[in-house]
Amino acid sequence: MRFPDGFVWGVSSSAYQIEGAAAEDGRGPSIWDTFSHAPGRIADGSTGDEACDHYHRHAEDVGLMKGLGVRAYRFSVSWSRVLPDGAGKVNAAGLDFYERLTDDLLGQGIAPYATLYHWDLPQALEDRGGWPSRDTAERFADYAAVVHERLGDRVDTWFTINEPWVASFLGYAAGTHAPGRRSAAEAFRSAHHMLLAHGLGAGALREAGARRIGVALNLSPVLTPGQLGDQDQELTPEDAGAVSRIDALLNRQFLDPMLRGSYPPELLEVVERHAGLDHVRDGDLDLIARPIDVLGVNYYAPHVVQAQPSRPGEPAFPGSEGVLFAATPGPATAMGWPIVPSGLTVLLRRLAADHPGLDLMVTENGADFGDGERDAERVAFIEAHVRAAHAAISDGVRLRGFLAWTLMDNFEWADGYRRKFGLVHVDFATQRRAERDSARWFREVIARNGLPAAPRPTLETVAARAGVSRATVSRVVNGEASVRPEVRARVQAAVEELGYVPNQAARSLVTRRTGTVALVLSGPRHDNAALVSAVVQYVTSVLEASGRQVRLMLADSEQSHRRVLAQAEGRHVDGMILLPPDRQDPLAERLAETEVPLVLLGGPLVAAERAGGGPVVAADDAGGGAAVARHLRELGRSRPAVLTGPGAAAGERVRGFLEVFPRAEVSDDAGRLLTGQPEAARTEAVRTHTVRPDAVFAVTDALALEVLGIAREAGLRVPEDLAVAGFGDGEAGRHTLPALTTVAVPVTELALALARSLLSALDGQPVAPSVLPVHLEVRGSTVSGGR
């Protein structure tokens, strides 16, 4: 599978995610500096102050790229490093850095692709209004001219703005990205002004002599659940309206002004309702539609939606009322993003049909699959998308390159350092870089200008080639009559071309010869009714949608353990999901000795891997404990007590807490006062003891509610005398007086991750452990007036 001569292979990155040196050599603060330093904004409490220290280690990193053989490197320029105040005086030292980087790249035969804006607006401009202000677009054009004046003789390809939808709607509507505002009106105004900045910046670059100008957009096909299996499926008017509206908000809001010189009418109706239209001035669209030479396509996953009249709108999609963003059956990345490589083929074909003659380039594609240097999942992910890109080229799409996201692990925005997208692993404690298996694989792809000798084609390989889902391929190879003739012909052509031989997994999707999976509840867990309910509901829904039958089994005794083992050993089920108790469960180890794919919920990851138990899906218990500790420190609490209990999860929660509050600062005496004694004795001890804590972290909400009762009996005011926090976000804690501060566990996401991990394992794909982030819900038990 070779690519055309001159096809560009490379990697992409962004300034704030890798550079570090946040306050060195005259750099001014950006909105991400401010955002990451604000309490509770970043999942792991980190900042981008150091990141990958690329500012000092760029020569080493260029050497890594040279070793990979990449032909191009798309980096971003930090606006606040060049113009610390966003405008006015130029910081020569900042431009010196990008000049050194550019010269290093050229010296190694790597083409520098410069992106002028990747979300890090100078804080000085934010203070003057930010992107909702028209002035910011005009300042961007000045900034573009400044950078081109220094680098224009060496940089051939310029990208103006990266993913304006993310910067506008996560930053100004949902508030989950910098600057953290929550206003639909400001989001729509920001989007228009970023488009205007693109047009003004492209004009400034062209006038200065820039050779190739482009923009990088996050684009996704918008499909219904049914269209995942058959993209030509006829939709109801309601679903068609939902698809069109989300496509307008996500894709056409940016594509149409840039490439057609107009906004979609249905989008203007939404914008007018939320923000008015006075910010769209005469002549703006002519500026925005200035010609570009290449459209950068950042693709990760499709958006799957369907009409649901009672559904409230999503904050990131103002105007999405009545639209359900549906769960996607099938494998997913560690972030829960569905893996649908065929969506890239669909997207590229659409862009080529809608905008003929325009060069396209995949400027981002990659995935988080956890830490470590062995990353077979990442190899499989990128390979499947490279195949999808090749399928588009075979159909005549003018695709000129493929840039992987990303060179190395970095500061992954609101997720901090917990997400790992890099071909190169980074140990952030030492800044040591180490190639992953995916880096070695990508080196071979580049050297061959195509894929290495292919392994046996899989369902996903055929699906990518035919532009359909895995389930549709399965229905065709099993002779199911429900597939339309034209789709069947497309799949059969791909099967013949690739030499695909259906395996048992493909057959069982339809024939159900081994189409049953078991959901095993292995005993009571402490304070987890909501989790078990969500797992049963969502796992069953997703697995049944994929054509599986779900068998619910209870394993709370030795006799029931034997029944479960008999089901696995006799191959009466294709796979199992096991909800182990808080203690280490011997059933998991015994099931791991069978050949049936097994996915575990919770439990210590290391122990599960040591037992050979396969994929594990867990909530970040340690991260939740650390979030509570950081919150209490920010409140000025200095004498915390910790109430723990049995089980590995409790131990992880305490471990995370002690990473922030060293054990020497935690009052063991105070902790014992609140546990292990009759209630009357505990109450008296709390009232009179000289080392009474000023805060309590209980590893479950049940324990935390008990503390609230003790405090009330002892005459203590909560939170003035005693701040109390729990873990689990149970229903009761929301209705106490005061309401309980607690760590919310993403039960729905855990359930979906379990189902997707099992489906991946059933398809023979490698599956890594998945740890999902948790969220601290701050309420009145720690902050007076807290919600």
Side-chain angles (χ1 to χ4, degrees):
M1 185 175 285
R2 289 186 56 81
F3 282 73
D5 292 342
F7 192 81
V8 178
W9 298 98
V11 292
S12 291
S13 72
S14 83
Y16 188 73
Q17 292 183 270
I18 66 169
E19 284 183 3
E24 290 188 37
D25 293 339
R27 179 186 180 275
S30 76
I31 55 175
W32 271 98
D33 293 285
T34 304
F35 188 82
S36 68
H37 281 267
R41 292 293 198 178
I42 308 302
D44 60 4
S46 62
T47 72
D49 288 357
E50 184 177 6
C52 303
D53 197 29
H54 177 72
Y55 187 79
H56 300 111
R57 300 170 184 263
H58 66 275
E60 175 187 354
D61 295 336
V62 171
L64 287 171
M65 291 180 244
K66 173 66 173 177
L68 290 177
V70 300
R71 306 285 192 262
Y73 174 48
R74 184 174 77 97
F75 62 93
S76 79
V77 177
S78 167
W79 190 342
S80 55
R81 198 179 290 283
V82 173
L83 291 163
D85 294 323
K89 185 178 179 181
V90 175
N91 178 34
L95 284 172
D96 289 345
F97 166 70
Y98 294 108
E99 187 170 51
R100 291 193 299 272
L101 174 61
T102 299
D103 289 344
D104 283 352
L105 291 166
L106 291 171
Q108 297 293 351
I110 301 170
Y113 288 5
T115 301
L116 289 171
Y117 186 72
H118 198 131
W119 309 352
D120 50 353
L121 185 71
Q123 183 62 41
L125 292 181
E126 173 66 16
D127 294 341
R128 295 199 288 271
W131 283 111
S133 167
R134 187 180 185 89
D135 181 68
T136 302
E138 295 168 353
R139 299 290 73 77
F140 177 81
D142 298 338
Y143 157 63
V146 167
V147 178
H148 186 276
E149 183 178 1
R150 178 68 77 92
L151 303 180
D153 60 334
R154 283 157 287 183
V155 173
D156 177 81
T157 300
W158 297 82
F159 291 91
T160 53
I161 292 181
N162 181 84
E163 298 188 359
W165 181 88
V166 175
S168 300
F169 289 92
L170 297 190
Y172 288 90
T176 54
H177 276 204
R181 300 200 214 177
R182 296 183 179 180
S183 165
E186 290 184 341
F188 282 118
R189 288 175 178 269
S190 295
H192 179 73
H193 291 148
M194 286 187 202
L195 285 164
L196 182 61
H198 158 76
L200 294 172
L205 291 170
R206 193 77 73 187
E207 184 177 341
R211 290 181 286 276
R212 277 167 48 88
I213 298 172
V215 65
L217 303 180
N218 58 297
L219 300 171
S220 297
V222 182
L223 308 168
T224 64
Q227 285 180 314
L228 282 171
D230 178 1
Q231 278 124 23
D232 297 324
Q233 182 186 74
E234 186 174 348
L235 302 181
T236 65
E238 294 79 11
D239 279 348
V243 167
S244 181
R245 190 164 11 127
I246 300 306
D247 183 63
L249 289 166
L250 178 68
N251 296 319
R252 287 181 284 136
Q253 181 169 192
F254 302 95
L255 287 170
D256 284 15
M258 289 178 173
L259 302 176
R260 300 185 191 277
S262 62
Y263 277 116
E266 65 185 299
L267 176 74
L268 288 177
E269 295 175 8
V270 176
V271 176
E272 186 171 25
R273 187 167 73 249
H274 286 276
L277 293 173
D278 60 303
H279 59 286
V280 183
R281 299 184 184 176
D282 290 344
D284 281 2
L285 288 165
D286 291 334
L287 295 172
I288 293 168
R290 282 171 165 158
I292 60 174
D293 304 291
V294 59
L295 174 64
V297 177
N298 296 355
Y299 173 77
Y300 292 95
H303 278 64
V304 182
V305 304
Q306 60 190 94
Q308 189 178 89
S310 61
R311 188 78 178 182
E314 291 289 332
F317 288 87
S320 62
E321 298 83 4
V323 178
L324 170 67
F325 287 78
T328 307
T333 70
M335 291 185 74
W337 294 354
I339 301 174
V340 187
S342 59
L344 177 59
T345 310
V346 171
L347 176 62
L348 294 174
R349 286 171 176 159
R350 168 191 169 176
L351 292 170
D354 290 350
H355 309 286
L358 179 63
D359 281 354
L360 306 176
M361 176 174 286
V362 174
T363 39
E364 288 187 24
N365 179 254
D368 168 33
F369 283 111
D371 214 345
E373 296 177 24
R374 308 277 83 83
D375 61 341
E377 296 119 313
R378 185 174 287 104
V379 172
F381 180 96
I382 300 177
E383 178 178 357
H385 286 82
V386 168
R387 289 183 180 276
H390 190 274
I393 292 172
S394 299
D395 292 336
V397 174
R398 294 165 59 98
L399 186 66
R400 303 309 191 198
F402 187 103
L403 309 183
W405 183 270
T406 179
L407 173 66
M408 56 189 170
D409 295 338
N410 56 33
F411 178 82
E412 192 53 44
W413 306 114
D415 283 312
Y417 296 102
R418 65 176 61 198
R419 298 303 181 190
K420 311 295 181 182
F421 277 80
L423 300 174
V424 174
H425 170 269
V426 177
D427 180 341
F428 290 101
T430 64
Q431 291 295 346
R432 175 183 173 271
R433 278 82 158 132
E435 286 189 350
R436 289 191 166 105
D437 289 344
S438 55
R440 293 181 275 273
W441 172 85
F442 199 49
R443 178 188 296 114
E444 187 175 355
V445 170
I446 296 169
R448 290 173 175 264
N449 193 31
L451 291 176
R456 180 180 60 81
T458 64
L459 274 175
E460 189 60 71
T461 309
V462 179
R465 184 67 191 92
V468 299
S469 72
R470 296 174 307 120
T472 298
V473 175
S474 179
R475 287 196 289 270
V476 171
V477 300
N478 284 281
E480 191 178 81
S482 63
V483 181
R484 291 184 296 109
E486 57 270 30
V487 176
R488 179 182 304 280
R490 204 159 69 229
V491 171
Q492 289 173 336
V495 167
E496 184 176 347
E497 175 188 341
L498 296 170
Y500 174 65
V501 178
N503 60 12
Q504 185 63 32
R507 295 191 182 97
S508 66
L509 281 174
V510 172
T511 64
R512 299 187 181 182
R513 288 167 51 189
T514 57
T516 300
V517 295
L519 178 55
V520 182
L521 309 180
S522 66
R525 290 169 58 90
H526 190 62
D527 197 26
N528 73 337
L531 177 60
V532 172
S533 174
V535 167
V536 172
Q537 176 184 351
Y538 288 101
V539 167
T540 300
S541 175
V542 172
L543 292 176
E544 287 184 345
S546 74
R548 304 282 172 172
Q549 294 178 337
V550 179
R551 179 177 301 162
L552 187 63
M553 305 183 72
L554 184 62
D556 60 349
S557 65
E558 184 58 35
Q559 182 179 6
S560 60
H561 281 203
R562 288 195 295 270
R563 285 197 299 268
V564 172
L565 282 168
Q567 291 291 308
E569 291 168 347
R571 300 307 299 265
H572 300 302
V573 292
D574 289 334
M576 289 186 166
I577 292 175
L578 175 64
L579 279 66
D582 286 332
R583 64 187 182 279
Q584 186 171 349
D585 187 358
L587 179 60
E589 187 171 353
R590 294 161 73 180
L591 286 172
E593 296 172 355
T594 73
E595 297 180 357
V596 171
L598 174 68
V599 179
L600 303 178
L601 172 65
L605 300 183
V606 174
E609 292 175 327
R610 188 167 59 243
V616 178
V617 175
D620 187 1
D621 290 306
V628 173
R630 286 193 297 270
H631 173 59
L632 295 178
R633 271 213 185 278
E634 289 158 4
L635 296 175
R637 308 291 171 144
S638 60
R639 302 187 311 280
V642 175
L643 271 67
T644 188
E652 284 295 292
R653 294 167 188 177
V654 172
R655 180 178 68 79
F657 189 90
L658 296 179
E659 288 177 355
V660 178
F661 269 107
R663 187 173 292 278
E665 298 182 31
V666 175
S667 174
D668 290 336
D669 287 342
R672 282 195 292 272
L673 291 176
L674 299 174
T675 57
Q677 299 182 42
E679 184 174 345
R682 285 181 288 179
T683 303
E684 181 62 24
V686 168
R687 181 185 296 113
T688 62
H689 203 280
T690 57
V691 294
R692 190 186 71 216
D694 60 4
V696 173
F697 169 49
V699 295
T700 68
D701 279 359
L703 284 173
L705 294 175
E706 185 179 350
V707 173
L708 290 178
I710 292 171
R712 184 170 54 251
E713 292 296 325
L716 299 177
R717 297 172 302 163
V718 176
E720 290 81 3
D721 299 325
L722 186 70
V724 180
F727 205 112
D729 196 20
E731 185 67 24
R734 303 173 197 175
H735 305 293
T736 59
L737 290 175
L740 181 65
T741 289
T742 183
V743 176
V745 176
V747 293
T748 301
E749 290 80 0
L750 281 170
L752 293 174
L754 282 168
R756 289 164 173 164
S757 294
L758 183 60
L759 288 171
S760 294
L762 293 173
D763 282 348
Q765 300 180 23
V767 184
S770 177
V771 181
L772 276 66
V774 295
H775 174 69
L776 182 64
E777 290 285 347
V778 177
R779 300 184 181 128
S781 67
T782 59
V783 178
S784 296
R787 65 180 182 83

